[in-house]
Amino acid sequence: MRWPWLSSITVAIGLTSSATAPYPDVPGVRPWTLERKLQIRNEVKELWDHGFNGYMKYAFPMDELQPLSCTGRGPNWRDPEDHNSNDVNGNFSATLIDVLDSMPIFAFSTSPDNVQSNKELERFSNAVRDVINHVSFDVNTKPQLFETTIRTLGGLISAHIIASKPSSFGHHFADDLDWSILSWYNGELLDLALDLGNRLLPAFNTPTKIPYARVNLKHGVPANETTESCTAGATSFLLEFILLSRLTSNPIFETVAKESFFTVWDRRSKLGMVGNTLDVLTGDWTKEEVSRIGAGIDSFFEYAFKGYVMTGEKEYLDVYNEAYGAVMKYSLGYDGFWYRTVNPTTGNVAYSHIDSMGAFWPGLMVLAGDIENGIKSHMIFWNIWRKYSGIPESFDIYNRQAIDYGYPLRPEFVESTYFLYRVTRDPFYLDVGERVLNDLVRNTKTKCGFATVANLVSGERNDRMESFMLSETLKYLYLLFDESNRLHSEHSEILFSTEGHLFILPKSLTTPTFNPTPDPRNHPPNSDTEQHFLTQNCRAYPGTRIPSLKELANKVPSATQKDGLYTSIRHRLDMEYARNLGGISVNEAIQDDSIWWNPNGYCHEPQPERHILEYILAPHGHPDVLEDPHPSVEKLVKVVDGFIVKDLTGVRLKIKTRSDLRIGSVLGIGQHAVSPNQKVYFADRRLLETPQEKDAPAQSLSPVEFEIRLFLGSESPTRGDANAKKVAQGDQDNSNRDSKHAVTTLAVAAAFGDNPSIPKTSSSSQSGKDGQKVLTPTHHRQPRPRFGLDEPPISVKLPVDDNSYGCKPHGITDSSSSQLPFHNSVLLIKRGECSFFEKMKLAELAGASGVIIVDPVPDDLDILAKLLMKPLIIPTLDQQSNSEPSYAEKHFSDVGMVLVVGSDELTELTGKATVEGLELMVEVVGRKRLQEPQRESTVGKNLMV
């Protein structure tokens, strides 16, 4: 699908998340100027006013407006089991409460004199008075817990926070408005919310803590109440109940909501998927269970993520990440565009239907940072909308045909369109919004409101306008075109509920988790720290890139391509594929997209990303290692807080990539599943080997370990009291060696140089001070005391701070000088940065008798993990080098090198010596092994892969 005008474009078009640029100069396309957006915004506002005024004139104080007959609608008193009516209509003016916070959102639109904004605050003030004067929850009705919570309880809480003035909760984005209009308000809405919350609590009185789906507001749960509830209905009151608890200082609401949420989650399948329906008394899933992103489960995903955003409690994010990963592995279609309904136990496809409520999914993916997949998912629903001028309740993706043609004015598609525009600023989404607006006017508007569409093909309508038409559909459509709304500068401090209620998070009661990320293309980071900050927050949208013809021919990898055309989402090469999935024929495409589409062009074959990755581990990535399906305890050990991988050869590792697609978490290791609160310790030392080490001779992997002891001598004469006693080698206080100021650790000698674990014969040395053997150097150097077995202790020195790895020269290295920095001492340095040979060479030039290399262990491993590791490796020379062996033979015969494993105790000892000016000493003890500690001591953090 080439574009006829493409040849006229001679420069790349940059489209960034901070831009509001119109389309390029394309014939027949109106640019999205600010004036045009304001015009459409005002048209949406007129529609909202039309619906709200119709409700207030013809229906209030009843729950809903019947827009064809222009009458009110409430509960079905004659049939209490009419759930279609009674689940949302509880005889408490449901529509008025649901739309309360829409009026302040209109007020938050900036204008030069704020006159219009203050008028909206006046209307909000009057609506709040109407609720206070007319609404009571002491009614004999049995609404659904879920619907009553998200529409009514959420509406009251949102309006209470706004009526109390945002600045009273720490927000000052609307201080310029005339808040004296609401000076009379004294928390009455919160009182109503608390009364309603208390009337909902009896639903939670079940053995599983999962609430009944419905509750009578006057009498509690009836004796014969159904015990079935859907996952969304049992988990999606989390935000509302958390805020109610924290605003009233009553923890019961947050407690029951949290218990129910995690009780449902704990019943997930081994694949990490929840079902659609379960029994609240037993907690069992119903038979023929299915899992999907749409109806019955949808807001479970939403509140898992938003629960984390609101509270900062990582357990909610863990739930979202695991559930999201399972969806991307088992529900996502092979093409990466649509999400199948599957069996949660097997992951097999149950059927190919998608439902209208699944249109919320692209918006949630955008909020969680997965912009690319959000764009692709939205493309399917967009093509379904433009085929039917609405989203049918059910659509068969295989047959490209609607199953249920009804459209009850649902908001999910508009909501996702709004969030995608906010993150991409692509005018394509404004085109989508304008099409939605025109279809709503043409197909649903009546003389007093908006009517549900019973059949999108025939145009038949029903006499009902559900409250979410005003509280969500038109609210999101308004915000889509309202560039200057104050809310758009407060996006790190607000949260929309699943019903579109504006929760301005009280800073003293909640913990907002995410910060907005500046677009690095417009605001380049000026430091490494700022760059790190950018990468840890939500990613900026990179724009839609049309690859070059060379890349399309697969002559270069796309990941390295910098060229190509950056332009609108309309020009994606997979747009044609999404159009086909939506059931739009070629003739329809030619008619509707004549400007953007050409039947003689080309399209892109979808390449979905994988979110669940599985690997068979092998040392150094050897490709011929076979899987060990049941690793023994010699390879994999289960401990108190997770697992330790001692030998990774053949072990299966299962990883789920997180929503930012850059890091992942471990889902399984070997034959074991890994839960979010468990840790996986990788303790195979081959992971730390350098290229020289992994290619070393086989015998170097079987070292002989021995003990060395490091301890503190008396105070150094260079610090403290000038009369302090000097340290005399061989005359140390033996009790000090065995005190808490000593560390004994395993060591292994290098394969070159002197071997400290072997006593030296007198023929190769001469006696020095205090009887210590002094080695005769093989080249013209000063004699040095030996570091080795049966030798007196020798002083240990640390290099300067910027040379802790010993990879830089250590100062004076003139062989004729008697002031060598490490003469008569052993150098203690870290492993890494350079080869063992280079460390030894620089230490020997500085006069050292030996080198102790400390192999640092990641902070995530405790002492148990260290002791379960493979034996220490032997430091070796580069076997491919022609110069290293000859140099070592000539210069290193009187210098010994050992490798030890780092520990907190060793770090503490060296730190104490440095701070207190005490001399650190070392002696070689002999070939012994340390006592293994108790396994129960395991602590640490998960080693992320």
Side-chain angles (χ1 to χ4, degrees), residues 142-273:
K142 191 182 69 172
Q144 189 186 73
L145 173 67
F146 166 69
E147 295 289 357
T148 304
T149 297
I150 65 171
R151 299 195 195 198
T152 306
L153 183 64
L156 291 170
I157 292 173
S158 174
H160 161 72
I161 293 174
I162 298 172
S164 301
K165 190 179 178 181
S167 61
S168 66
F169 292 99
H171 303 277
H172 300 280
F173 65 93
D175 283 353
D176 57 326
L177 301 183
D178 185 8
W179 289 98
S180 64
I181 295 171
L182 286 153
S183 60
W184 60 269
Y185 178 72
N186 194 33
E188 292 87 350
L189 295 180
L190 184 60
D191 293 337
L192 282 171
L194 180 59
D195 177 51
L196 176 58
N198 285 325
R199 294 174 184 275
L200 298 177
L201 283 178
F204 292 85
N205 187 22
T206 66
T208 63
K209 306 299 183 182
I210 302 172
Y212 286 97
R214 298 170 182 85
V215 59
N216 186 291
L217 297 182
K218 196 176 188 69
H219 304 295
V221 179
N224 62 344
E225 183 59 35
T226 177
T227 62
E228 283 192 0
S229 181
C230 67
T231 293
T235 58
S236 302
F237 30 75
L238 198 62
L239 302 187
E240 291 81 2
F241 275 40
I242 288 174
L243 280 177
L244 183 59
S245 273
R246 299 186 182 188
L247 289 169
T248 62
S249 300
N250 186 345
I252 184 61
F253 303 105
E254 183 170 354
T255 298
V256 298
K258 192 171 184 178
E259 285 179 341
S260 179
F261 181 88
F262 284 102
T263 298
V264 173
W265 175 241
D266 288 343
R267 284 159 170 76
R268 66 191 181 278
S269 71
K270 292 182 179 180
L271 303 183
M273 309 190 82

Side-chain angles (χ1 to χ4, degrees), residues 520-537:
R521 292 158 300 189
N522 296 329
H523 307 281
N526 53 24
S527 68
D528 292 340
T529 301
E530 186 175 348
Q531 178 64 55
H532 176 74
F533 168 80
L534 294 180
T535 60
Q536 296 302 310
N537 288 267

Side-chain angles (χ1 to χ4, degrees), residues 345-423:
T345 302
T346 65
N348 295 331
V349 177
Y351 48 85
S352 60
H353 305 169
I354 60 176
D355 62 74
S356 60
M357 284 188 278
F360 91 101
W361 187 249
L364 178 60
M365 285 194 284
V366 167
L367 291 176
D370 191 353
I371 302 171
E372 172 63 17
N373 282 305
I375 290 172
K376 290 164 70 174
S377 178
H378 181 273
M379 287 163 63
I380 298 298
F381 289 104
W382 157 237
N383 282 287
I384 293 174
W385 179 285
R386 67 188 188 127
K387 179 178 178 66
Y388 295 102
S389 296
I391 303 291
E393 286 289 79
S394 182
F395 182 86
D396 188 334
I397 201 76
Y398 282 168
N399 296 318
R400 317 289 197 267
Q401 186 67 41
I403 300 172
D404 182 339
Y405 289 87
Y407 173 61
L409 312 177
R410 293 197 186 279
E412 287 79 9
F413 176 67
V414 182
E415 174 187 0
S416 290
T417 303
Y418 164 69
F419 284 121
L420 278 162
Y421 176 67
R422 293 310 307 169
V423 76

Side-chain angles (χ1 to χ4, degrees), residues 811-824:
I812 300 174
T813 57
D814 182 5
S815 61
S816 63
S817 173
S818 61
Q819 301 298 319
L820 294 173
F822 299 121
H823 186 61
N824 295 334

Side-chain angles (χ1 to χ4, degrees), residues 588-804:
E588 291 172 315
I590 295 175
Q591 179 180 352
D592 295 343
D593 297 331
S594 57
I595 296 176
W596 312 102
W597 191 86
N598 189 303
N600 298 318
Y602 50 79
C603 61
H604 180 66
E605 181 180 354
Q607 298 292 332
E609 295 172 330
R610 296 176 59 200
H611 288 256
I612 300 291
L613 308 176
E614 298 188 35
Y615 302 96
I616 305 301
L617 302 180
H620 315 302
H622 292 306
D624 55 347
V625 172
L626 299 178
E627 180 182 4
D628 182 351
H630 300 285
S632 68
V633 293
E634 296 300 320
K635 287 187 175 182
L636 182 61
V637 179
K638 191 176 190 310
V639 291
V640 174
D641 58 347
F643 304 90
I644 295 178
V645 182
K646 299 162 58 180
D647 181 349
L648 55 77
T649 305
V651 176
R652 178 179 289 272
L653 176 67
K654 184 178 181 181
I655 298 174
K656 179 192 71 62
T657 61
R658 295 198 173 180
S659 52
D660 63 5
L661 303 179
R662 292 179 302 173
I663 60 173
S665 55
V666 179
L667 291 182
I669 188 72
Q671 67 271 44
H672 303 287
V674 179
S675 64
N677 63 339
Q678 287 183 309
K679 307 164 183 67
V680 176
Y681 304 99
F682 287 88
D684 190 330
R685 296 200 64 80
R686 290 172 294 179
L687 292 172
L688 305 178
E689 291 177 3
T690 65
Q692 294 90 344
E693 295 163 358
K694 73 183 181 67
D695 295 330
Q699 60 268 26
S700 70
L701 299 178
S702 301
V704 176
E705 297 171 345
F706 58 96
E707 286 182 347
I708 65 171
R709 179 181 293 124
L710 294 99
F711 58 93
L712 298 179
S714 58
E715 187 174 18
S716 170
T718 61
R719 299 183 60 176
D721 187 353
N723 298 321
K725 180 181 179 181
K726 293 185 179 181
V727 177
Q729 293 178 342
D731 191 26
Q732 299 296 319
D733 180 359
N734 290 332
S735 64
N736 196 30
R737 301 185 198 177
D738 299 324
S739 72
K740 63 180 180 180
H741 301 310
V743 173
T744 301
T745 184
L746 291 177
V748 65
F752 55 92
D754 188 21
N755 188 342
S757 69
I758 302 175
K760 211 69 170 176
T761 63
S762 58
S763 61
S764 62
S765 61
Q766 60 188 34
S767 296
K769 182 179 179 181
D770 298 321
Q772 185 171 28
K773 295 182 178 65
V774 178
L775 298 180
T776 303
T778 56
H779 59 296
H780 301 293
R781 283 283 185 182
Q782 300 241 359
R784 67 189 89 208
R786 182 172 185 263
F787 163 51
L789 187 64
D790 295 337
E791 304 291 342
I794 188 170
S795 178
V796 176
K797 297 293 179 62
L798 278 67
V800 294
D801 291 341
D802 65 347
N803 196 18
S804 60

